Amino acid sequence: MPAKSKAQQMAAGAALAAKRGEKKKSELKGASKSMVESMSEKELHDMASTKRKGKPEHASKKS
């Protein structure tokens, strides 16, 4: 599943680093904290490797 925004892509990258042991889980904040627990390493990799070109900074909220 590709990231919908730059912020989501960056959060997935941070969660992936923590899942691989490159970063401490205690250093995570916000969405990346829940992503590391709820997503597999493959899902995080797919989201983190999404191209940023043309993506909004933050995804728009839907009502």
Side-chain angles (χ1 to χ4, degrees):
M1 120 177 76
K4 296 183 193 303
S5 68
K6 291 178 186 179
Q8 191 177 44
Q9 188 262 346
M10 289 170 46
L16 181 60
K19 188 136 270 337
R20 291 179 174 168
E22 298 165 4
K23 187 174 190 169
K24 293 180 183 178
K25 287 183 182 180
S26 61
E27 294 176 1
L28 298 178
K29 297 178 186 175
S32 58
K33 204 172 207 176
S34 61
M35 283 178 162
V36 75
E37 299 298 330
S38 65
M39 297 175 77
S40 70
E41 189 171 333
K42 183 186 180 328
E43 289 173 320
L44 289 169
H45 179 269
D46 291 345
M47 190 175 279
S49 63
T50 303
K51 302 284 187 215
R52 287 191 195 182
K53 188 173 183 179
K55 298 278 185 210
E57 197 63 39
H58 294 278
S60 60
K61 292 183 180 181
K62 294 182 180 180
S63 310

